[in-house]
Amino acid sequence: MTAARPQWLDTLVDRLGTTPAHYYSRFLPPQEGAGRRAGVLVLVGPRDGDGTDHEILLTERAHGMRSHAGQVAFPGGSVDPEDRDVVDAALREAHEEVGLDRTSVEVLATVPELYMPHRDFGVTPVVGWWREPHPLTAGDPREVASVLRAPVSELVDPANRFTVTHPNGYRGPAFEVDGLLVWGFTAGILSKLLDLAGLAEPWDVSRLEELPEQMWR
């Protein structure tokens, strides 16, 4: 059964078309382009039958990975030679990571490409509506520890929002969802998109939490 898209998601898509890249990050790709490109999927789906809540698909990366071990992220990854574009890469990776059927997704818009200068990486968030939800399972346990379907109601709850601090001086938005810490690039995008969608509630930006050592070692 095809689920009806929430009005706030249409509002978000409309605003994405007029919001410049620097709204999301101060790091933008150089004129010559990033060395590598990737697509990540920001997938919104129905949470319940009456349409009062929705969820966003996230993954917990395996704790034994060489980089970003144990971190919560959007499904997605690097563009491979066989991918048509960043959208194709995001959908392919989501299928590999959690078994997502790409035909169940309606791609709505993309966020301008953002840049990770320390990795020379250009990342494009792809916003989609999960019109036909189905069960998901973590794929390769060496890459994905768990699948997290984060309720939007929990993401916007001020009690679950705070500012995380890194020993290197970094400060950024963070969320606690289902006992997991969401921070960094993923939290930054979530924060901006919730604001654009008109869903964000006032939260205590002065609440500081130190990033656990295992997240930065």
Side-chain angles (χ1 to χ4, degrees):
M1 185 178 194
T2 302
R5 223 165 47 220
Q7 184 175 356
W8 64 260
L9 187 55
D10 291 334
T11 298
L12 170 61
V13 171
D14 288 342
R15 291 177 175 173
L16 285 176
T18 59
T19 304
H22 60 74
Y23 166 80
Y24 306 96
S25 173
R26 62 189 178 94
F27 297 114
L28 303 180
Q31 289 187 347
E32 65 273 17
R36 294 186 297 164
R37 302 180 67 217
V40 296
L41 184 62
V42 184
L43 185 63
V44 180
R47 180 75 179 176
D48 48 39
D50 61 7
T52 58
D53 199 7
H54 296 85
E55 60 190 19
I56 296 177
L57 176 62
L58 299 169
T59 65
E60 179 190 11
R61 292 167 62 87
H63 291 247
M65 297 187 74
R66 288 183 295 178
S67 63
H68 307 293
Q71 292 192 19
V72 176
F74 300 114
S78 298
V79 176
D80 284 351
E82 64 269 21
D83 295 324
R84 292 189 299 272
D85 51 26
V86 291
V87 174
D88 200 38
L91 292 171
R92 174 186 54 77
E93 286 279 355
H95 172 71
E96 294 175 0
E97 291 178 11
V98 300
L100 179 70
D101 178 0
R102 64 189 300 157
T103 65
S104 68
V105 177
E106 180 182 358
V107 175
L108 301 176
T110 58
V111 172
E113 186 178 58
L114 307 175
Y115 190 54
M116 296 182 176
H118 61 292
R119 301 176 63 193
D120 192 18
F121 217 38
V123 183
T124 299
V126 178
V127 178
W129 168 240
W130 201 13
R131 60 189 174 195
E132 296 177 357
H134 60 83
L136 300 173
T137 56
D140 189 340
R142 294 171 298 182
E143 295 185 4
V144 180
S146 65
V147 180
L148 176 62
R149 295 166 68 157
V152 171
S153 60
E154 290 189 24
L155 290 171
V156 301
D157 186 344
N160 296 326
R161 302 196 63 176
F162 50 94
T163 299
V164 72
T165 64
H166 191 288
N168 66 7
Y170 166 86
R171 291 189 177 192
F175 302 80
E176 182 178 357
V177 182
D178 199 20
L180 294 175
L181 171 65
V182 186
W183 72 288
F185 179 87
T186 303
I189 294 299
L190 280 173
S191 180
K192 295 297 187 181
L193 295 183
L194 292 172
D195 284 345
L196 284 178
L199 296 176
E201 300 178 11
W203 57 284
D204 184 4
V205 295
S206 67
R207 176 188 166 194
L208 305 179
E209 301 282 349
E210 292 185 4
L211 187 65
E213 184 175 353
Q214 66 267 24
M215 289 291 183
W216 54 268
R217 282 292 184 187

